[in-house]
Each structure stands twice: as structure tokens, then as C-alpha cells.
Amino acid sequence: MVMSGEKAGGGNGNGSAGGEQEPGQKQAPEWGPGREQKQAPGREREPGQAEAAAPARVSLRERKKRLTYRAISDAAIAMFLERGFDKVSVAEVAAAADISKPTLFRYFPAKEDLALHRFADHEDEAARVVGGRASEESPLDALRRHFLAGLDRRDPVTGLCDAPQVLAFHRLLYGTPSLVARLYAYQGRSEAALTRALGGGVAARLAAGQVIAVLRILAEENWRRIDAGESAERVYAGAVQVAEEAFVQLRRGLEPEGRG
């Protein structure tokens, strides 16, 4: 495991594991029918972050597949928000997207994935941050920097976003037990990707589990306060303080004694 300044090998240069991804799994997430939130966290270069490699050219076929993923997911989420997740059938989503039910399942293995597709781009986000950091920066410092930057720009994945379409989506997510349960599978894949970025092995897996759990808890706490009626602006200062404290705890447990 690597939690100090040196980098672990074995990645593809952007912090994720090697290998091709299923088309549609690397899109910028879009949060709500209005699509006002279009940033893909981890893609932009932040202060202190190493220069990212130029994105690979995407073929016309791949672009069409990604557009199909998005169209199906958008149609499904609009229906879920209007009527509730459990009251919309997969057959209805397929009809709204003008595809057959078997075709829909080729894109989305489970009904829950129709909504959680928006989290797909975040599965290897922590791993990408670790793999793309500057050589002198430790993995934990890079993750801290990235999360604080997300709070500052009100990234929905940090829970600190009170845009109406984000609130509606989060209420759908956290108010549907099957979606919450399915979200844990996404987080398991996040842990696996971060484990690889940290060098692999049991120690790296333990570290990745702690990091992903902390990021989840921080986001849930921010969302809890906003759902209770506070604005993102009001929550921001407290969210930063709690995040700083959380990373201090992580540092004490994960980095060599004596590191500040």
C-alpha cells in the first residue's frame, strides 16, 4: 500500500484499473432533468495535480452507445421522479425510450442501474485522483484536496448541492431502499479501484475501505442537513471543518507516524 508521496504502479495512467470500460460508464454525470450540473469530478486538473493525458478519441459507434445510455437513463429518471421508483415498470421505461425490454437490459442489468447510472463516472474517481496526483503529493493529500474542491464547487457527489434537480434526485435515491442497497455495490467497486491505485494487497484494501467510507459519510451528512432545509451556502463552512477533521483521523490511521 502507498499512502505517502510515491506512486503505485499497475494503473492506466489516470488512476483507474486497466482495461476497457462498458460504453456509457465514463460519461459526465448529469444531475436532474434540467442538466445544469455537468461537471465530471476528477476530470479537471486541480492545483497541485499532475498533467492529465489527453483523452482518447471516441469512435462514432461508442458515442452512439453513450448517447443511448443517457437517453434511456434520462427517460427513466424523469418517470421515477414523477411517479416514484417502485411505480414505474421496466417495460414502461423501455417504451418511453422506444426500445425493447431485452434491449434495455443489455444496457442496464437491473432496474436500479437506470437511476444510478449517474454515479457510474464516480466509481473510480478516488482511484483517478490518486493516480493523477503530482509526484510530491501523498494519496491522502490528493484525496483531501479533491474533496474540498468538490465542496467549493458544490459538486452533487459531496452532498453539498441544493439545486432543485439535485435535491429531487437525492430524495428519490435515499428514499428508495432498493436504490440505496444497489449504491453499495457501486461503492464496493470504488473500493476495489482505489485498492489497485494504492498498490494492491490487504493493507491497501483496508485503507481504501476507510477512505470510501469516510467520503460516503461526509456526503450523507451534508445531504442530511440540506434535506432538513439548510442551504448549501450555510452548510459549507461546517462541511469543510468536518471534512478536515475526517482526513486528520484518516491520516493518523493510514500514514506513518510523524507525518503532519
Side-chain angles (χ1 to χ4, degrees):
M1 180 188 67
V2 179
M3 291 302 290
S4 56
E6 70 274 15
K7 292 191 177 184
N12 62 6
N14 66 359
S16 61
E20 291 297 319
Q21 295 289 327
E22 181 70 17
Q25 297 300 297
K26 292 297 175 188
Q27 297 175 43
E30 296 190 350
W31 299 83
R35 299 187 182 181
E36 286 86 349
Q37 302 289 331
K38 290 193 175 183
Q39 284 184 313
R43 299 296 187 189
E44 70 283 358
R45 187 185 179 193
E46 296 172 353
Q49 187 174 2
E51 187 71 47
R57 183 180 296 274
V58 180
S59 69
L60 176 61
R61 180 173 177 271
E62 292 301 303
R63 289 199 299 272
K64 287 182 177 179
K65 285 185 177 181
R66 294 182 182 190
L67 288 172
T68 302
Y69 270 101
R70 180 173 297 175
I72 297 171
S73 180
D74 284 353
I77 291 172
M79 297 172 74
F80 296 155
L81 290 173
E82 180 181 1
R83 294 162 49 193
F85 180 81
D86 294 326
K87 294 182 179 180
V88 177
S89 70
V90 172
E92 289 176 300
V93 174
D98 198 26
I99 58 174
S100 68
K101 188 173 175 181
T103 297
L104 184 147
F105 279 123
R106 285 203 295 271
Y107 285 93
F108 297 94
K111 180 183 175 183
E112 289 77 12
D113 293 326
L114 288 162
L116 295 176
H117 174 62
R118 293 180 178 181
F119 285 87
D121 189 63
H122 297 288
E123 282 190 14
D124 67 347
E125 182 174 330
R128 285 189 275 116
V129 169
V130 168
R133 73 192 190 281
S135 59
E136 68 276 8
E137 187 175 35
S138 76
L140 204 55
D141 285 339
L143 291 164
R144 169 188 168 277
R145 166 181 52 75
H146 182 75
F147 188 80
L148 292 177
L151 291 176
D152 186 61
R153 65 176 179 264
R154 307 300 191 263
D155 190 325
V157 80
T158 68
L160 191 68
C161 184
D162 54 9
Q165 72 277 10
V166 176
L167 288 173
F169 179 77
H170 278 165
R171 284 171 181 149
L172 170 70
L173 170 61
Y174 292 117
T176 308
S178 61
L179 289 176
V180 174
R182 187 71 171 178
L183 184 58
Y184 278 98
Y186 280 68
Q187 292 168 343
R189 292 193 286 272
S190 296
E191 290 181 15
L194 183 55
T195 296
R196 293 189 291 270
L198 293 173
V202 175
R205 185 179 178 187
L206 289 169
Q210 292 176 67
V211 168
I212 298 302
V214 164
L215 296 178
R216 172 181 59 81
I217 291 168
L218 290 174
E220 288 178 354
E221 178 61 17
N222 293 337
W223 157 247
R224 182 193 65 77
R225 292 183 61 183
I226 289 176
D227 189 48
E230 296 185 71
S231 68
E233 187 66 27
R234 180 181 178 87
V235 175
Y236 175 71
V240 170
Q241 180 179 349
V242 171
E244 293 281 25
E245 293 170 354
F247 277 94
V248 167
Q249 291 185 35
L250 280 171
R251 192 182 308 281
R252 288 172 179 165
L254 297 177
E255 293 193 338
E257 189 174 354
R259 181 174 173 84

